[in-house]
Amino acid sequence: HNTLLKDHIVRLIPKEMASNHNLLVLKSHLNKIKIALADTQNLQALQYLKAQFKDAVITILPTSKADIHHAIQYYYGSS
């Protein structure tokens, strides 16, 4: 699956946050946002997302840590 994400959408969340919590913004349209998240029980991550995107309807998509890790390296760079 080679869906290219938009850089400005991915970067709605800082790299450090994305890496620490294994999450990635996949899509943002109007007030809807889709987030890939490795651990859907990660309350810290979920609270952060709710605070970050207050008025948005957030959809969480369970995704493997490996897939998220590769995407983070691709979109944020490996530095």
Side-chain angles (χ1 to χ4, degrees):
H1 58 111
N2 279 349
T3 313
L4 280 181
L5 306 174
K6 293 183 173 68
D7 282 344
H8 69 281
I9 301 275
V10 170
R11 294 202 174 94
L12 288 170
I13 289 179
K15 180 183 182 181
E16 193 178 330
M17 201 68 197
S19 296
N20 290 348
H21 293 292
N22 293 296
L23 57 89
L24 197 68
V25 180
L26 300 178
K27 197 170 189 179
S28 175
H29 183 67
L30 302 173
N31 72 329
K32 294 187 173 91
I33 194 156
K34 289 191 177 175
I35 310 278
L37 183 61
D39 176 8
T40 57
Q41 304 301 307
N42 181 337
L43 288 179
Q44 241 188 328
L46 297 171
Q47 286 170 340
Y48 169 79
L49 292 170
K50 282 189 182 126
Q52 185 78 356
F53 306 110
K54 286 179 190 66
D55 302 323
V57 176
I58 300 171
T59 304
I60 300 290
L61 302 169
T63 309
S64 77
K65 273 188 183 178
D67 283 352
I68 292 174
H69 181 72
H70 289 306
I72 287 172
Q73 286 194 315
Y74 180 83
Y75 288 101
Y76 292 93
S78 53
S79 58

